Amino acid sequence: MSAVPSGEPLIEIHNLTFSRGSRLIFDRVSLSIPRGKITGIMGPSGTGKTTLLKLIGGQLRPDAGEVWVDGQNVHSLSRSALFALRKRMGMLFQHGALLTDLSVFENVAFPLREHTCLPESMIRDLVLMKLNAVGLRGAHDLHTAELSGGMARRVALARALALDPELVMFDEPFTGQDPMTLGVLVRLIRKLNDALGLSSILVSHDVAETLSIADHLYLLAEGRVIASGTPAAIQADASPWVQQFMQGMADGPVPFHYPAAPLQDDFHLPKVQECDRC
Amino acid sequence: MLSVLGRLGRAVLESLARLGRWFVFMLALLPALPSALLRPRLIVDQLYHLGVLSLQIILVAGAFVGLVLGLQGYSILATYGSAESLGVVVALSLVRELGPVLTALLFAGRAGSALTAELGLMKSTEQLAGMEMMAVDPLKRVVAPRFWAGVITMPLLAALFSLVGVFGGYAIGVGLLGVDSGSYWSQIQSQVDFFDDIVNGVLKSLVFGVAAAWIALFEGYDCVPTAEGVSRATTRTVVNTSLAVLGLDFIMTALMFDV
């Protein structure tokens, strides 16, 4: 199944092929990310969701295919043009990627200090506004080591928003969060996307949370797009693969076992007839 | 036999790939160096971390080396009745060789390993990738200031090492063994040449500074971003810097001092 999201796309990916060593991660993948919406990218671990974000951000180079962001072919840009494009992108890394030698305030101020010549008073106001948006204005003096996992991700989100980007990429924002923090993050991503007019890409394998906020979804597996559409359409999709992923079933089209030699070989057992029920 | 050849081939290929990455790192860092000079605050921060925090080990080591030189020098010189030359033996040993070389070796252990571990951890916690995505070049923002700080710090630390060593030799020679204080200083004043000895010593330190900072930063930047990878990179920094310093010292000594 493949459905094209409505609205003018911000990102268009054409026939993207990427491999690591001998392992093919993407095999001629094509998809588009609409403007002003939250697009969820879902799939089992190891399908290349984070790799896709790195390809969009120009941190990795594809073997073949093109990634167009706002009309610019990311991998044909010069380094300075790529950096100019990245100023319009924000990325929330899986573990925050906060600079550990800086305070919360300085982390959020970092992109402002690097890319603008704003006076200190204005930087202070902007940083406190961004921190207020994620509910951590009162934590601006804390050191990064004093933050919980959820707080660190919210600080990273404030930092990703510091330069008022048009696109924010969230890499597994919900992983390892307690239910309360998870709820906070879900609401925050939706609220900020709508209030700031962002376009968001949400990479996750947390089904319920992603379904609750995404406007459009892509399901990736085995190097290709297995399904795409609105959350309702994906849930209604009867394909065994989609059902296995959405229901969290251990076995199905994606086998439970990693490809391995026959059991008899590994355990040095005599050849026996396979049981029908196994 | 085939597996041995295979392993050998793999090792050669890995070494060549590593050499290639080393050159790529060098070519990428060179253009980043001038712009780092425009942000002296970043360099000053690193001068503190690499220089000021290394002072303790440098000063203590310098003092002990001076004390030992005083003892050894006196016992040998006294045999030939020239104990009054103790000052010049201590000073020349320190300024020409021991100051720059031992400082560089201590720097590799104290500051070089810290640089590698810091960069390696920044890499493994995606801080460098995060900077890239914020359109900030980590080579300009993180690596170049540390490189300059290493180059600036090394001659200063070596000078302090030698200075404290000379006083250590004085304490033993004059204070304990009865060498004449006037002879100690006047021999140094007359025999230690500013250009031949001190400038050459400073040049050595500068070259060691470049080598030590370069190796430490490359190892950190190039490391496998895992706990084991950072640990291996830190070890490689200390070993490679020590070998590079000793090799460079031999070459420079042969070129500088007409032996």
Side-chain angles (χ1 to χ4, degrees), chain A residues 59 79 83 86 93 97-100 110 114-115, chain B residues 39 126-127 129-135 137 141:
Chain A
Q59 287 186 293
R79 191 163 169 81
F83 272 26
R86 282 182 184 163
F93 282 81
L98 293 176
L99 300 168
T100 46
F110 184 80
E114 290 295 317
H115 295 305
Chain B
R39 300 180 71 178
E126 294 187 308
Q127 293 181 51
M131 275 191 199
E132 283 264 352
M133 279 308 294
M134 285 187 278
D137 187 350
R141 179 61 175 72

mmCIF file with all atom_site columns, all heavy atoms in Angstrom, chain A residues 59 79 83 86 93 97-100 110 114-115, chain B residues 39 126-127 129-135 137 141:
data_model
loop_
_atom_site.group_PDB
_atom_site.id
_atom_site.type_symbol
_atom_site.label_atom_id
_atom_site.label_alt_id
_atom_site.label_comp_id
_atom_site.label_asym_id
_atom_site.label_entity_id
_atom_site.label_seq_id
_atom_site.pdbx_PDB_ins_code
_atom_site.Cartn_x
_atom_site.Cartn_y
_atom_site.Cartn_z
_atom_site.occupancy
_atom_site.B_iso_or_equiv
_atom_site.pdbx_formal_charge
_atom_site.auth_seq_id
_atom_site.auth_comp_id
_atom_site.auth_asym_id
_atom_site.auth_atom_id
_atom_site.pdbx_PDB_model_num
ATOM 1   N N   . GLN A 1 59  ? 24.199 14.169 6.616  1.00 0.00 ? 59  GLN A N   1
ATOM 2   C CA  . GLN A 1 59  ? 25.321 13.608 7.380  1.00 0.00 ? 59  GLN A CA  1
ATOM 3   C C   . GLN A 1 59  ? 25.819 12.321 6.742  1.00 0.00 ? 59  GLN A C   1
ATOM 4   O O   . GLN A 1 59  ? 26.946 11.919 6.991  1.00 0.00 ? 59  GLN A O   1
ATOM 5   C CB  . GLN A 1 59  ? 24.893 13.346 8.821  1.00 0.00 ? 59  GLN A CB  1
ATOM 6   C CG  . GLN A 1 59  ? 24.743 14.623 9.619  1.00 0.00 ? 59  GLN A CG  1
ATOM 7   C CD  . GLN A 1 59  ? 24.456 14.320 11.076 1.00 0.00 ? 59  GLN A CD  1
ATOM 8   O OE1 . GLN A 1 59  ? 23.389 13.795 11.412 1.00 0.00 ? 59  GLN A OE1 1
ATOM 9   N NE2 . GLN A 1 59  ? 25.386 14.644 11.932 1.00 0.00 ? 59  GLN A NE2 1
ATOM 10  N N   . ARG A 1 79  ? 29.522 22.579 1.102  1.00 0.00 ? 79  ARG A N   1
ATOM 11  C CA  . ARG A 1 79  ? 29.457 22.493 2.562  1.00 0.00 ? 79  ARG A CA  1
ATOM 12  C C   . ARG A 1 79  ? 28.783 23.728 3.163  1.00 0.00 ? 79  ARG A C   1
ATOM 13  O O   . ARG A 1 79  ? 27.970 23.626 4.069  1.00 0.00 ? 79  ARG A O   1
ATOM 14  C CB  . ARG A 1 79  ? 30.879 22.327 3.139  1.00 0.00 ? 79  ARG A CB  1
ATOM 15  C CG  . ARG A 1 79  ? 30.900 21.958 4.598  1.00 0.00 ? 79  ARG A CG  1
ATOM 16  C CD  . ARG A 1 79  ? 32.255 21.422 4.999  1.00 0.00 ? 79  ARG A CD  1
ATOM 17  N NE  . ARG A 1 79  ? 32.430 21.294 6.427  1.00 0.00 ? 79  ARG A NE  1
ATOM 18  C CZ  . ARG A 1 79  ? 31.971 20.288 7.150  1.00 0.00 ? 79  ARG A CZ  1
ATOM 19  N NH1 . ARG A 1 79  ? 31.304 19.319 6.576  1.00 0.00 ? 79  ARG A NH1 1
ATOM 20  N NH2 . ARG A 1 79  ? 32.198 20.249 8.447  1.00 0.00 ? 79  ARG A NH2 1
ATOM 21  N N   . PHE A 1 83  ? 25.344 23.789 5.256  1.00 0.00 ? 83  PHE A N   1
ATOM 22  C CA  . PHE A 1 83  ? 25.230 24.371 6.595  1.00 0.00 ? 83  PHE A CA  1
ATOM 23  C C   . PHE A 1 83  ? 24.114 25.416 6.642  1.00 0.00 ? 83  PHE A C   1
ATOM 24  O O   . PHE A 1 83  ? 23.398 25.528 7.641  1.00 0.00 ? 83  PHE A O   1
ATOM 25  C CB  . PHE A 1 83  ? 26.576 24.981 7.027  1.00 0.00 ? 83  PHE A CB  1
ATOM 26  C CG  . PHE A 1 83  ? 27.492 23.990 7.700  1.00 0.00 ? 83  PHE A CG  1
ATOM 27  C CD1 . PHE A 1 83  ? 27.389 22.630 7.439  1.00 0.00 ? 83  PHE A CD1 1
ATOM 28  C CD2 . PHE A 1 83  ? 28.447 24.405 8.614  1.00 0.00 ? 83  PHE A CD2 1
ATOM 29  C CE1 . PHE A 1 83  ? 28.209 21.709 8.052  1.00 0.00 ? 83  PHE A CE1 1
ATOM 30  C CE2 . PHE A 1 83  ? 29.284 23.485 9.250  1.00 0.00 ? 83  PHE A CE2 1
ATOM 31  C CZ  . PHE A 1 83  ? 29.164 22.138 8.968  1.00 0.00 ? 83  PHE A CZ  1
ATOM 32  N N   . ARG A 1 86  ? 21.013 23.520 6.937  1.00 0.00 ? 86  ARG A N   1
ATOM 33  C CA  . ARG A 1 86  ? 20.845 22.920 8.273  1.00 0.00 ? 86  ARG A CA  1
ATOM 34  C C   . ARG A 1 86  ? 20.392 23.934 9.314  1.00 0.00 ? 86  ARG A C   1
ATOM 35  O O   . ARG A 1 86  ? 19.810 23.559 10.324 1.00 0.00 ? 86  ARG A O   1
ATOM 36  C CB  . ARG A 1 86  ? 22.168 22.288 8.721  1.00 0.00 ? 86  ARG A CB  1
ATOM 37  C CG  . ARG A 1 86  ? 22.431 20.948 8.079  1.00 0.00 ? 86  ARG A CG  1
ATOM 38  C CD  . ARG A 1 86  ? 23.705 20.375 8.599  1.00 0.00 ? 86  ARG A CD  1
ATOM 39  N NE  . ARG A 1 86  ? 24.042 19.128 7.933  1.00 0.00 ? 86  ARG A NE  1
ATOM 40  C CZ  . ARG A 1 86  ? 25.253 18.583 7.959  1.00 0.00 ? 86  ARG A CZ  1
ATOM 41  N NH1 . ARG A 1 86  ? 26.232 19.189 8.602  1.00 0.00 ? 86  ARG A NH1 1
ATOM 42  N NH2 . ARG A 1 86  ? 25.490 17.451 7.344  1.00 0.00 ? 86  ARG A NH2 1
ATOM 43  N N   . PHE A 1 93  ? 18.225 14.512 18.785 1.00 0.00 ? 93  PHE A N   1
ATOM 44  C CA  . PHE A 1 93  ? 18.881 13.199 18.748 1.00 0.00 ? 93  PHE A CA  1
ATOM 45  C C   . PHE A 1 93  ? 18.280 12.271 19.798 1.00 0.00 ? 93  PHE A C   1
ATOM 46  O O   . PHE A 1 93  ? 17.702 12.714 20.788 1.00 0.00 ? 93  PHE A O   1
ATOM 47  C CB  . PHE A 1 93  ? 20.388 13.359 18.981 1.00 0.00 ? 93  PHE A CB  1
ATOM 48  C CG  . PHE A 1 93  ? 21.125 13.840 17.768 1.00 0.00 ? 93  PHE A CG  1
ATOM 49  C CD1 . PHE A 1 93  ? 21.143 15.184 17.435 1.00 0.00 ? 93  PHE A CD1 1
ATOM 50  C CD2 . PHE A 1 93  ? 21.784 12.953 16.939 1.00 0.00 ? 93  PHE A CD2 1
ATOM 51  C CE1 . PHE A 1 93  ? 21.807 15.636 16.317 1.00 0.00 ? 93  PHE A CE1 1
ATOM 52  C CE2 . PHE A 1 93  ? 22.447 13.392 15.812 1.00 0.00 ? 93  PHE A CE2 1
ATOM 53  C CZ  . PHE A 1 93  ? 22.468 14.740 15.501 1.00 0.00 ? 93  PHE A CZ  1
ATOM 54  N N   . ALA A 1 97  ? 22.057 14.544 22.824 1.00 0.00 ? 97  ALA A N   1
ATOM 55  C CA  . ALA A 1 97  ? 23.312 15.092 22.294 1.00 0.00 ? 97  ALA A CA  1
ATOM 56  C C   . ALA A 1 97  ? 23.600 16.484 22.844 1.00 0.00 ? 97  ALA A C   1
ATOM 57  O O   . ALA A 1 97  ? 24.146 17.343 22.156 1.00 0.00 ? 97  ALA A O   1
ATOM 58  C CB  . ALA A 1 97  ? 23.298 15.103 20.759 1.00 0.00 ? 97  ALA A CB  1
ATOM 59  N N   . LEU A 1 98  ? 23.230 16.693 24.107 1.00 0.00 ? 98  LEU A N   1
ATOM 60  C CA  . LEU A 1 98  ? 23.545 17.989 24.722 1.00 0.00 ? 98  LEU A CA  1
ATOM 61  C C   . LEU A 1 98  ? 25.041 18.075 24.961 1.00 0.00 ? 98  LEU A C   1
ATOM 62  O O   . LEU A 1 98  ? 25.699 17.062 25.202 1.00 0.00 ? 98  LEU A O   1
ATOM 63  C CB  . LEU A 1 98  ? 22.799 18.131 26.055 1.00 0.00 ? 98  LEU A CB  1
ATOM 64  C CG  . LEU A 1 98  ? 21.281 18.225 25.965 1.00 0.00 ? 98  LEU A CG  1
ATOM 65  C CD1 . LEU A 1 98  ? 20.666 18.264 27.367 1.00 0.00 ? 98  LEU A CD1 1
ATOM 66  C CD2 . LEU A 1 98  ? 20.840 19.443 25.166 1.00 0.00 ? 98  LEU A CD2 1
ATOM 67  N N   . LEU A 1 99  ? 25.568 19.288 24.914 1.00 0.00 ? 99  LEU A N   1
ATOM 68  C CA  . LEU A 1 99  ? 27.005 19.476 25.163 1.00 0.00 ? 99  LEU A CA  1
ATOM 69  C C   . LEU A 1 99  ? 27.230 19.392 26.665 1.00 0.00 ? 99  LEU A C   1
ATOM 70  O O   . LEU A 1 99  ? 26.729 20.232 27.431 1.00 0.00 ? 99  LEU A O   1
ATOM 71  C CB  . LEU A 1 99  ? 27.460 20.824 24.598 1.00 0.00 ? 99  LEU A CB  1
ATOM 72  C CG  . LEU A 1 99  ? 27.247 20.954 23.083 1.00 0.00 ? 99  LEU A CG  1
ATOM 73  C CD1 . LEU A 1 99  ? 27.440 22.377 22.612 1.00 0.00 ? 99  LEU A CD1 1
ATOM 74  C CD2 . LEU A 1 99  ? 28.178 20.015 22.337 1.00 0.00 ? 99  LEU A CD2 1
ATOM 75  N N   . THR A 1 100 ? 27.968 18.387 27.077 1.00 0.00 ? 100 THR A N   1
ATOM 76  C CA  . THR A 1 100 ? 28.013 18.060 28.502 1.00 0.00 ? 100 THR A CA  1
ATOM 77  C C   . THR A 1 100 ? 28.846 19.033 29.328 1.00 0.00 ? 100 THR A C   1
ATOM 78  O O   . THR A 1 100 ? 28.772 19.014 30.550 1.00 0.00 ? 100 THR A O   1
ATOM 79  C CB  . THR A 1 100 ? 28.563 16.630 28.702 1.00 0.00 ? 100 THR A CB  1
ATOM 80  O OG1 . THR A 1 100 ? 29.723 16.476 27.885 1.00 0.00 ? 100 THR A OG1 1
ATOM 81  C CG2 . THR A 1 100 ? 27.537 15.598 28.318 1.00 0.00 ? 100 THR A CG2 1
ATOM 82  N N   . PHE A 1 110 ? 23.691 27.990 22.524 1.00 0.00 ? 110 PHE A N   1
ATOM 83  C CA  . PHE A 1 110 ? 24.814 27.620 21.652 1.00 0.00 ? 110 PHE A CA  1
ATOM 84  C C   . PHE A 1 110 ? 24.584 27.975 20.174 1.00 0.00 ? 110 PHE A C   1
ATOM 85  O O   . PHE A 1 110 ? 25.399 28.688 19.574 1.00 0.00 ? 110 PHE A O   1
ATOM 86  C CB  . PHE A 1 110 ? 25.108 26.122 21.815 1.00 0.00 ? 110 PHE A CB  1
ATOM 87  C CG  . PHE A 1 110 ? 26.289 25.644 21.038 1.00 0.00 ? 110 PHE A CG  1
ATOM 88  C CD1 . PHE A 1 110 ? 27.582 25.842 21.505 1.00 0.00 ? 110 PHE A CD1 1
ATOM 89  C CD2 . PHE A 1 110 ? 26.130 25.010 19.816 1.00 0.00 ? 110 PHE A CD2 1
ATOM 90  C CE1 . PHE A 1 110 ? 28.679 25.407 20.776 1.00 0.00 ? 110 PHE A CE1 1
ATOM 91  C CE2 . PHE A 1 110 ? 27.214 24.574 19.088 1.00 0.00 ? 110 PHE A CE2 1
ATOM 92  C CZ  . PHE A 1 110 ? 28.488 24.770 19.568 1.00 0.00 ? 110 PHE A CZ  1
ATOM 93  N N   . GLU A 1 114 ? 26.574 30.894 18.025 1.00 0.00 ? 114 GLU A N   1
ATOM 94  C CA  . GLU A 1 114 ? 27.400 30.495 16.876 1.00 0.00 ? 114 GLU A CA  1
ATOM 95  C C   . GLU A 1 114 ? 26.960 31.189 15.587 1.00 0.00 ? 114 GLU A C   1
ATOM 96  O O   . GLU A 1 114 ? 27.782 31.466 14.735 1.00 0.00 ? 114 GLU A O   1
ATOM 97  C CB  . GLU A 1 114 ? 27.323 28.973 16.679 1.00 0.00 ? 114 GLU A CB  1
ATOM 98  C CG  . GLU A 1 114 ? 28.034 28.176 17.755 1.00 0.00 ? 114 GLU A CG  1
ATOM 99  C CD  . GLU A 1 114 ? 29.533 28.396 17.767 1.00 0.00 ? 114 GLU A CD  1
ATOM 100 O OE1 . GLU A 1 114 ? 30.137 28.423 16.702 1.00 0.00 ? 114 GLU A OE1 1
ATOM 101 O OE2 . GLU A 1 114 ? 30.092 28.568 18.878 1.00 0.00 ? 114 GLU A OE2 1
ATOM 102 N N   . HIS A 1 115 ? 25.656 31.452 15.464 1.00 0.00 ? 115 HIS A N   1
ATOM 103 C CA  . HIS A 1 115 ? 25.165 31.908 14.160 1.00 0.00 ? 115 HIS A CA  1
ATOM 104 C C   . HIS A 1 115 ? 24.624 33.329 14.145 1.00 0.00 ? 115 HIS A C   1
ATOM 105 O O   . HIS A 1 115 ? 24.210 33.802 13.086 1.00 0.00 ? 115 HIS A O   1
ATOM 106 C CB  . HIS A 1 115 ? 24.058 30.965 13.662 1.00 0.00 ? 115 HIS A CB  1
ATOM 107 C CG  . HIS A 1 115 ? 24.549 29.583 13.387 1.00 0.00 ? 115 HIS A CG  1
ATOM 108 N ND1 . HIS A 1 115 ? 25.588 29.321 12.537 1.00 0.00 ? 115 HIS A ND1 1
ATOM 109 C CD2 . HIS A 1 115 ? 24.161 28.384 13.868 1.00 0.00 ? 115 HIS A CD2 1
ATOM 110 C CE1 . HIS A 1 115 ? 25.817 28.022 12.491 1.00 0.00 ? 115 HIS A CE1 1
ATOM 111 N NE2 . HIS A 1 115 ? 24.965 27.431 13.301 1.00 0.00 ? 115 HIS A NE2 1
ATOM 112 N N   . ARG B 2 39  ? 38.871 33.471 17.536 1.00 0.00 ? 39  ARG B N   1
ATOM 113 C CA  . ARG B 2 39  ? 38.053 33.278 18.744 1.00 0.00 ? 39  ARG B CA  1
ATOM 114 C C   . ARG B 2 39  ? 38.971 32.892 19.904 1.00 0.00 ? 39  ARG B C   1
ATOM 115 O O   . ARG B 2 39  ? 38.963 31.741 20.367 1.00 0.00 ? 39  ARG B O   1
ATOM 116 C CB  . ARG B 2 39  ? 36.982 32.218 18.499 1.00 0.00 ? 39  ARG B CB  1
ATOM 117 C CG  . ARG B 2 39  ? 36.049 32.607 17.363 1.00 0.00 ? 39  ARG B CG  1
ATOM 118 C CD  . ARG B 2 39  ? 35.005 31.569 17.114 1.00 0.00 ? 39  ARG B CD  1
ATOM 119 N NE  . ARG B 2 39  ? 34.013 31.519 18.178 1.00 0.00 ? 39  ARG B NE  1
ATOM 120 C CZ  . ARG B 2 39  ? 32.965 30.703 18.180 1.00 0.00 ? 39  ARG B CZ  1
ATOM 121 N NH1 . ARG B 2 39  ? 32.792 29.871 17.169 1.00 0.00 ? 39  ARG B NH1 1
ATOM 122 N NH2 . ARG B 2 39  ? 32.108 30.700 19.177 1.00 0.00 ? 39  ARG B NH2 1
ATOM 123 N N   . GLU B 2 126 ? 27.135 11.608 20.471 1.00 0.00 ? 126 GLU B N   1
ATOM 124 C CA  . GLU B 2 126 ? 26.560 12.339 19.330 1.00 0.00 ? 126 GLU B CA  1
ATOM 125 C C   . GLU B 2 126 ? 26.665 13.857 19.455 1.00 0.00 ? 126 GLU B C   1
ATOM 126 O O   . GLU B 2 126 ? 25.946 14.585 18.781 1.00 0.00 ? 126 GLU B O   1
ATOM 127 C CB  . GLU B 2 126 ? 25.094 11.940 19.113 1.00 0.00 ? 126 GLU B CB  1
ATOM 128 C CG  . GLU B 2 126 ? 24.904 10.498 18.682 1.00 0.00 ? 126 GLU B CG  1
ATOM 129 C CD  . GLU B 2 126 ? 23.467 10.188 18.309 1.00 0.00 ? 126 GLU B CD  1
ATOM 130 O OE1 . GLU B 2 126 ? 22.590 10.491 19.129 1.00 0.00 ? 126 GLU B OE1 1
ATOM 131 O OE2 . GLU B 2 126 ? 23.236 9.647  17.227 1.00 0.00 ? 126 GLU B OE2 1
ATOM 132 N N   . GLN B 2 127 ? 27.558 14.331 20.336 1.00 0.00 ? 127 GLN B N   1
ATOM 133 C CA  . GLN B 2 127 ? 27.693 15.783 20.470 1.00 0.00 ? 127 GLN B CA  1
ATOM 134 C C   . GLN B 2 127 ? 28.297 16.400 19.205 1.00 0.00 ? 127 GLN B C   1
ATOM 135 O O   . GLN B 2 127 ? 27.915 17.504 18.802 1.00 0.00 ? 127 GLN B O   1
ATOM 136 C CB  . GLN B 2 127 ? 28.553 16.127 21.687 1.00 0.00 ? 127 GLN B CB  1
ATOM 137 C CG  . GLN B 2 127 ? 27.896 15.754 23.005 1.00 0.00 ? 127 GLN B CG  1
ATOM 138 C CD  . GLN B 2 127 ? 28.748 16.121 24.203 1.00 0.00 ? 127 GLN B CD  1
ATOM 139 O OE1 . GLN B 2 127 ? 29.215 17.225 24.347 1.00 0.00 ? 127 GLN B OE1 1
ATOM 140 N NE2 . GLN B 2 127 ? 28.966 15.157 25.081 1.00 0.00 ? 127 GLN B NE2 1
ATOM 141 N N   . ALA B 2 129 ? 28.064 15.081 16.144 1.00 0.00 ? 129 ALA B N   1
ATOM 142 C CA  . ALA B 2 129 ? 27.022 15.001 15.110 1.00 0.00 ? 129 ALA B CA  1
ATOM 143 C C   . ALA B 2 129 ? 25.970 16.082 15.347 1.00 0.00 ? 129 ALA B C   1
ATOM 144 O O   . ALA B 2 129 ? 25.449 16.682 14.401 1.00 0.00 ? 129 ALA B O   1
ATOM 145 C CB  . ALA B 2 129 ? 26.384 13.613 15.133 1.00 0.00 ? 129 ALA B CB  1
ATOM 146 N N   . GLY B 2 130 ? 25.664 16.331 16.631 1.00 0.00 ? 130 GLY B N   1
ATOM 147 C CA  . GLY B 2 130 ? 24.694 17.374 16.975 1.00 0.00 ? 130 GLY B CA  1
ATOM 148 C C   . GLY B 2 130 ? 25.171 18.743 16.501 1.00 0.00 ? 130 GLY B C   1
ATOM 149 O O   . GLY B 2 130 ? 24.402 19.537 15.965 1.00 0.00 ? 130 GLY B O   1
ATOM 150 N N   . MET B 2 131 ? 26.458 19.012 16.689 1.00 0.00 ? 131 MET B N   1
ATOM 151 C CA  . MET B 2 131 ? 27.011 20.288 16.213 1.00 0.00 ? 131 MET B CA  1
ATOM 152 C C   . MET B 2 131 ? 26.888 20.397 14.699 1.00 0.00 ? 131 MET B C   1
ATOM 153 O O   . MET B 2 131 ? 26.514 21.444 14.171 1.00 0.00 ? 131 MET B O   1
ATOM 154 C CB  . MET B 2 131 ? 28.486 20.373 16.590 1.00 0.00 ? 131 MET B CB  1
ATOM 155 C CG  . MET B 2 131 ? 28.714 20.893 17.973 1.00 0.00 ? 131 MET B CG  1
ATOM 156 S SD  . MET B 2 131 ? 30.449 21.240 18.190 1.00 0.00 ? 131 MET B SD  1
ATOM 157 C CE  . MET B 2 131 ? 30.498 21.244 19.955 1.00 0.00 ? 131 MET B CE  1
ATOM 158 N N   . GLU B 2 132 ? 27.233 19.306 14.015 1.00 0.00 ? 132 GLU B N   1
ATOM 159 C CA  . GLU B 2 132 ? 27.124 19.296 12.544 1.00 0.00 ? 132 GLU B CA  1
ATOM 160 C C   . GLU B 2 132 ? 25.700 19.656 12.129 1.00 0.00 ? 132 GLU B C   1
ATOM 161 O O   . GLU B 2 132 ? 25.502 20.422 11.208 1.00 0.00 ? 132 GLU B O   1
ATOM 162 C CB  . GLU B 2 132 ? 27.472 17.902 12.012 1.00 0.00 ? 132 GLU B CB  1
ATOM 163 C CG  . GLU B 2 132 ? 28.953 17.589 11.984 1.00 0.00 ? 132 GLU B CG  1
ATOM 164 C CD  . GLU B 2 132 ? 29.560 17.847 10.612 1.00 0.00 ? 132 GLU B CD  1
ATOM 165 O OE1 . GLU B 2 132 ? 28.779 18.108 9.684  1.00 0.00 ? 132 GLU B OE1 1
ATOM 166 O OE2 . GLU B 2 132 ? 30.791 17.816 10.497 1.00 0.00 ? 132 GLU B OE2 1
ATOM 167 N N   . MET B 2 133 ? 24.723 19.073 12.836 1.00 0.00 ? 133 MET B N   1
ATOM 168 C CA  . MET B 2 133 ? 23.335 19.331 12.459 1.00 0.00 ? 133 MET B CA  1
ATOM 169 C C   . MET B 2 133 ? 22.901 20.740 12.837 1.00 0.00 ? 133 MET B C   1
ATOM 170 O O   . MET B 2 133 ? 21.901 21.238 12.327 1.00 0.00 ? 133 MET B O   1
ATOM 171 C CB  . MET B 2 133 ? 22.404 18.300 13.111 1.00 0.00 ? 133 MET B CB  1
ATOM 172 C CG  . MET B 2 133 ? 22.343 16.977 12.384 1.00 0.00 ? 133 MET B CG  1
ATOM 173 S SD  . MET B 2 133 ? 21.989 17.126 10.623 1.00 0.00 ? 133 MET B SD  1
ATOM 174 C CE  . MET B 2 133 ? 20.331 17.766 10.631 1.00 0.00 ? 133 MET B CE  1
ATOM 175 N N   . MET B 2 134 ? 23.634 21.375 13.764 1.00 0.00 ? 134 MET B N   1
ATOM 176 C CA  . MET B 2 134 ? 23.344 22.786 14.085 1.00 0.00 ? 134 MET B CA  1
ATOM 177 C C   . MET B 2 134 ? 24.150 23.713 13.178 1.00 0.00 ? 134 MET B C   1
ATOM 178 O O   . MET B 2 134 ? 24.278 24.902 13.460 1.00 0.00 ? 134 MET B O   1
ATOM 179 C CB  . MET B 2 134 ? 23.675 23.065 15.552 1.00 0.00 ? 134 MET B CB  1
ATOM 180 C CG  . MET B 2 134 ? 22.668 22.493 16.525 1.00 0.00 ? 134 MET B CG  1
ATOM 181 S SD  . MET B 2 134 ? 22.993 23.024 18.222 1.00 0.00 ? 134 MET B SD  1
ATOM 182 C CE  . MET B 2 134 ? 24.272 21.876 18.701 1.00 0.00 ? 134 MET B CE  1
ATOM 183 N N   . ALA B 2 135 ? 24.722 23.131 12.117 1.00 0.00 ? 135 ALA B N   1
ATOM 184 C CA  . ALA B 2 135 ? 25.516 23.899 11.153 1.00 0.00 ? 135 ALA B CA  1
ATOM 185 C C   . ALA B 2 135 ? 26.759 24.510 11.788 1.00 0.00 ? 135 ALA B C   1
ATOM 186 O O   . ALA B 2 135 ? 27.216 25.582 11.415 1.00 0.00 ? 135 ALA B O   1
ATOM 187 C CB  . ALA B 2 135 ? 24.659 24.972 10.486 1.00 0.00 ? 135 ALA B CB  1
ATOM 188 N N   . ASP B 2 137 ? 30.703 23.681 12.563 1.00 0.00 ? 137 ASP B N   1
ATOM 189 C CA  . ASP B 2 137 ? 31.765 22.751 12.171 1.00 0.00 ? 137 ASP B CA  1
ATOM 190 C C   . ASP B 2 137 ? 32.576 22.360 13.410 1.00 0.00 ? 137 ASP B C   1
ATOM 191 O O   . ASP B 2 137 ? 33.248 23.218 13.997 1.00 0.00 ? 137 ASP B O   1
ATOM 192 C CB  . ASP B 2 137 ? 32.668 23.438 11.139 1.00 0.00 ? 137 ASP B CB  1
ATOM 193 C CG  . ASP B 2 137 ? 33.700 22.486 10.563 1.00 0.00 ? 137 ASP B CG  1
ATOM 194 O OD1 . ASP B 2 137 ? 33.834 21.370 11.103 1.00 0.00 ? 137 ASP B OD1 1
ATOM 195 O OD2 . ASP B 2 137 ? 34.357 22.863 9.580  1.00 0.00 ? 137 ASP B OD2 1
ATOM 196 N N   . ARG B 2 141 ? 35.098 24.553 15.786 1.00 0.00 ? 141 ARG B N   1
ATOM 197 C CA  . ARG B 2 141 ? 34.609 24.926 17.112 1.00 0.00 ? 141 ARG B CA  1
ATOM 198 C C   . ARG B 2 141 ? 35.294 24.138 18.232 1.00 0.00 ? 141 ARG B C   1
ATOM 199 O O   . ARG B 2 141 ? 35.538 24.656 19.315 1.00 0.00 ? 141 ARG B O   1
ATOM 200 C CB  . ARG B 2 141 ? 33.090 24.692 17.178 1.00 0.00 ? 141 ARG B CB  1
ATOM 201 C CG  . ARG B 2 141 ? 32.408 24.993 18.499 1.00 0.00 ? 141 ARG B CG  1
ATOM 202 C CD  . ARG B 2 141 ? 32.562 26.449 18.881 1.00 0.00 ? 141 ARG B CD  1
ATOM 203 N NE  . ARG B 2 141 ? 31.825 26.803 20.069 1.00 0.00 ? 141 ARG B NE  1
ATOM 204 C CZ  . ARG B 2 141 ? 32.141 26.429 21.300 1.00 0.00 ? 141 ARG B CZ  1
ATOM 205 N NH1 . ARG B 2 141 ? 33.166 25.637 21.494 1.00 0.00 ? 141 ARG B NH1 1
ATOM 206 N NH2 . ARG B 2 141 ? 31.413 26.841 22.325 1.00 0.00 ? 141 ARG B NH2 1
#
